[in-house]
Amino acid sequence: MSDKSTSSNPATAAPPEKPVAPLKIYPIVKYGDRILEKPGEPVAKFDAALEQLAEDMFASMYAAQGVGLAAPQIGLSLRLAVVDVTGGKNPEAKIVLANPEIIHAEGEVREEEGCLSIPGFRGYVMRPQFVTVKAQNAKGESFEIRGENLLARAFCHEIDHLNGVLFIQHLSMLKRDLIRRKIKKLRKQGEW
Ligand SMILES: [Zn+2]
C-alpha cells in the first residue's frame, strides 16, 4: 500500500465489516504430548461455543496448511475434528465431525501421509479407498458422508486421533522407531 493513501477518502476507505467473532489460531500439540495418545471424550454440548471452536479449528488448520485437525491436537480431549481437503478454497468442503464413526469401509490405498502433530515426517499408510462416516455437525445434527481417496484418508486419520491413535502406529516397527529416535534427538536439541 502506498504511504500517500489516506483513510479520509471515502472512495478508498475500507468498507465497514460485518461483526464476526475473531478467530483463534491454536498452537498445534506435537508428538510426545500424552493428550495425543488418549481417546477423546464424546461431544455432549452443542452450543455457540462449540460452533466457535469448530471455526477456530478450521482457522488453525488452514494456518498450519493442513487438511484435517482433531481437537486433541489443540490440547482438547474431545471427539471433534474438522476436515477440508481443498485447503479453504471451497467453503462447501468444510466438514465438522463431532462424535464420528466409520460405518462402512471399502478398498485399500497405500499412500504417503503426514500429521500436523508430527511435522517433517511422512510415511506410507494403507487406508480404505472409500469410507462412510456417521457424525454430528457443530449444531448436533446427525449426517452421513462418504469420502474417497484423500477425503477417506483424512476421515480415517482424524478419527484415529479421536481414538488416541497416530499415523506412525500404522507404520512398520522399524520405520516408527526411526521416527521416534529422530524426534527424541530433535527434542534434546530443543527443536521439538
Ligand atoms: Zn494428524
Side-chain angles (χ1 to χ4, degrees):
M1 190 196 284
S2 161
D3 57 359
K4 283 177 186 156
S5 68
T6 64
S7 56
S8 59
N9 181 349
T12 57
E17 284 179 15
K18 269 194 291 180
V20 285
L23 292 168
K24 180 172 174 184
I25 308 292
Y26 285 90
I28 311 284
V29 169
K30 280 189 183 173
Y31 176 73
D33 192 313
R34 292 295 299 273
I35 197 159
L36 292 176
E37 291 173 74
K38 194 178 128 190
E41 296 291 324
V43 178
K45 203 172 165 194
F46 292 88
D47 55 9
L50 188 81
E51 287 186 56
Q52 182 65 43
L53 175 61
E55 285 308 314
D56 290 344
M57 285 175 65
F58 278 114
S60 305
M61 177 183 81
Y62 296 139
Q65 296 188 303
V67 295
L69 184 69
Q73 293 183 279
I74 56 162
L76 297 173
S77 184
L78 204 56
R79 300 187 73 80
L80 177 70
V82 296
V83 170
D84 178 357
V85 294
T86 74
K89 288 192 188 84
N90 176 8
E92 284 173 23
K94 288 168 75 182
I95 302 161
V96 176
L97 300 171
N99 304 321
E101 273 176 78
I102 293 172
I103 56 169
H104 182 75
E106 215 181 302
E108 282 184 328
V109 183
R110 191 170 178 271
E111 196 45 81
E112 219 181 19
E113 199 169 307
C115 178
L116 294 177
S117 293
I118 315 177
F121 296 94
R122 298 179 70 78
Y124 280 87
V125 179
M126 189 79 88
R127 298 285 191 186
Q129 187 183 0
F130 302 96
V131 295
T132 306
V133 173
K134 185 173 186 255
Q136 286 163 282
N137 63 18
K139 291 183 167 23
E141 298 156 344
S142 293
F143 67 96
E144 282 181 19
I145 185 166
R146 183 173 154 97
E148 183 181 353
N149 295 323
L150 178 60
L151 187 57
R153 179 168 298 273
F155 287 158
C156 293
H157 181 111
E158 299 315 322
I159 292 171
D160 266 0
H161 271 302
L162 306 184
N163 293 323
V165 174
L166 298 168
F167 86 91
I168 56 169
Q169 282 160 260
H170 295 291
L171 304 178
S172 69
M173 192 99 84
L174 195 75
K175 175 89 179 169
R176 185 166 65 232
D177 286 346
L178 183 72
I179 291 178
R180 281 194 181 136
R181 275 205 305 278
K182 284 185 178 167
I183 291 174
K184 214 172 164 185
K185 201 173 157 196
L186 286 172
R187 199 179 287 133
K188 268 189 193 159
Q189 295 166 341
E191 290 167 22
W192 189 262

